[in-house]
Amino acid sequence: MPESTQPYYVTTPIYYVNDEPHLGHMYTTIAADVLARHHRLSGDDVFFLTGVDEHGQKVQQAAEARDIAPIALADKVVQRYETLWPELSISNDDFTRTSSDRHKAGVHAMWKRLLDNGAIYKGFYEDWYCVPCETYWTETQLKDATHPEKENCLTAEICPDCKRSVEKIQEESYFFKLSEYQDKIIEHIKENPDFIAPASRQNEVLRFVEGGLRDLSISRTTFSWGVPVPDDEGHVIYVWIDALSNYLSALGFPEDTENMKYWPADVHLIGKDILRFHAVYWPAMLMAAELPLPKRVFAHGWWTVEGEKMSKSKGNALRPADLLDQYESDTLRYFLLREVPFGLDGDFSHDALKTRYNTELANDVGNLLNRSLSMLQKYRDGVLPAVVEEQSEDRALIADIEGMQREVNEHLNNQAFHLAIERISQVVRHGNRYVAENAPWTLAKEGNDARLDTVLYHLVEALRLIAVQLSPVMPVKMEQMLSQIMNTDINIDALRMQDVAGWGLLEAGHQCQKPSPVFPRMDS
Ligand code: MSP
């Protein structure tokens, strides 16, 4: 089969630089990384983008509170991300900054397109604004929200989303004619059931749009930290218009660059709190600019920590750097994607992480690797024997592996990480059952060499294919596992399914290494 060079474009949100990276940022980026790695493994031409959102009132205020310039704060937080991502094996192809010239040129080009197409006009904004969410609210929307601490108390001064104080804004502003896109967006969502995922979120967006879209204020005049409006520098472009444009500016938009082949994005991974921006404002902007819409927007759930909402005031926000002091990167990657279906909320608990690691990784995967390679050493000096005669249980193992390869692909195409991992775990458990049922130690004792050879071959070949499938989730551990099986240093990034996925590629006579533990048990 010729290598497919289908472009595949996956993005994370760009993270605000008002604060340090936390578990939420790490989660989306790991998920995007698994998709990027899986698609590279499948032979696709992948572009994986992450980066930071440097502008806006929130970042400006955070910088003022620290008595430094916004760009100095941004530089500091960018360093944190630049250190963190390699430690988590994040394989992004680009890291975008909204303060870069490349990005500003893209935002200006987007603005000009909207202007030229008659989608922008100047007016006056008089209503509410939530700085932490960088969101506009109408008086009615606020009145419909209840006060977080006082039941039945309607308030006009608390953000319906984050429940923090909103501020009243009265200023000249440019507006985007969002109201003109109400019907088109409804139509798009209805005609493209894959556009918003998980499906359970579609109704939420439809209800919001059907409730009526008002034109969107897209410039501010009362602070300066942002991209200036072209030819009207007293105005700064609304941070969400600026930020959403990153998905195109990072490809070189508006230039007709080589990277523009990646547009439209295959999937924007985001958290559920920013779905409206991605599933309503962004498509409307793209429609107005006459550009294709992303194929999918996937909104994942939120993590709590040991049953509690993460918050600065509680001081329980999990810092990736602290987690990496306690756990290996692959363990964190595995846990975050295995524990909770992508799309649902989940709880991070150290006990749950350790239990999952010890049961599924140390016991199941680690044990299968250790016992298989140990028996190969003991009975055949580590040299892979040839299959003598395949029996039905051998064929069942092979069929299960081929099923796994197909289904993992399907699950990952739906961003169902937990199902993909569970499908691989099924094969691991099958492998351990196969060992118990075939009892190689008895075959050795009985001198049944033909059957022993066949069983040892199937075990090692199964392990190899399990490791390949797990490699997007745990690149470091699977590189170690494959290196022991292949008896050479494997570069996990260079693997391609078309070269490695077939059953039976390991040849008889191949020397495997002695096992060394890849998943040592963790103390609870
Ligand atoms: N800058 C905007 C995104 C612009 S994209 C064009 C932004 N940045 S953010 O830093 O505030 O948030 C980034 C992401 O973190 C969001 O997707 C949000 O859902 C996610 N999370 C924040 N807290 C989270 C949890 N507790 N759990 C999981 N994800 C969480 O929004």
Side-chain angles (χ1 to χ4, degrees), residues 301-305 339-340 344-348:
W302 270 40
W303 287 90
T304 50
V305 175
E339 181 73 0
V340 178
L344 297 187
D345 293 339
D347 184 51
F348 187 101

Side-chain angles (χ1 to χ4, degrees), residues 14-16 22 24-25 53 247 271 273-274 300 302-303 310:
I14 48 172
Y15 306 118
Y16 283 127
H22 65 56
H25 306 135
D53 192 351
Y247 301 128
D273 56 318
I274 55 175
H300 65 67
W302 270 40
W303 287 90
M310 272 198 292

Side-chain angles (χ1 to χ4, degrees), residues 11-28 51-55 58-59 81 98 132-134 239-247 268-275 277-278 282 298-305 308-311 344-346:
T11 67
T12 72
I14 48 172
Y15 306 118
Y16 283 127
V17 294
N18 64 308
D19 204 0
E20 308 273 308
H22 65 56
L23 179 67
H25 306 135
M26 169 174 159
Y27 180 48
T28 330
V52 284
D53 192 351
E54 300 172 79
H55 292 139
K58 168 156 78 173
V59 172
Y81 280 107
T98 56
C133 296
E134 300 281 15
V239 65
W240 270 102
I241 300 289
D242 169 348
L244 288 162
S245 306
N246 96 87
Y247 301 128
H268 291 316
L269 299 186
I270 57 164
K272 61 180 182 178
D273 56 318
I274 55 175
L275 180 56
F277 300 95
H278 285 81
W282 180 224
F298 196 115
H300 65 67
W302 270 40
W303 287 90
T304 50
V305 175
E308 291 204 42
K309 205 175 152 204
M310 272 198 292
S311 81
L344 297 187
D345 293 339

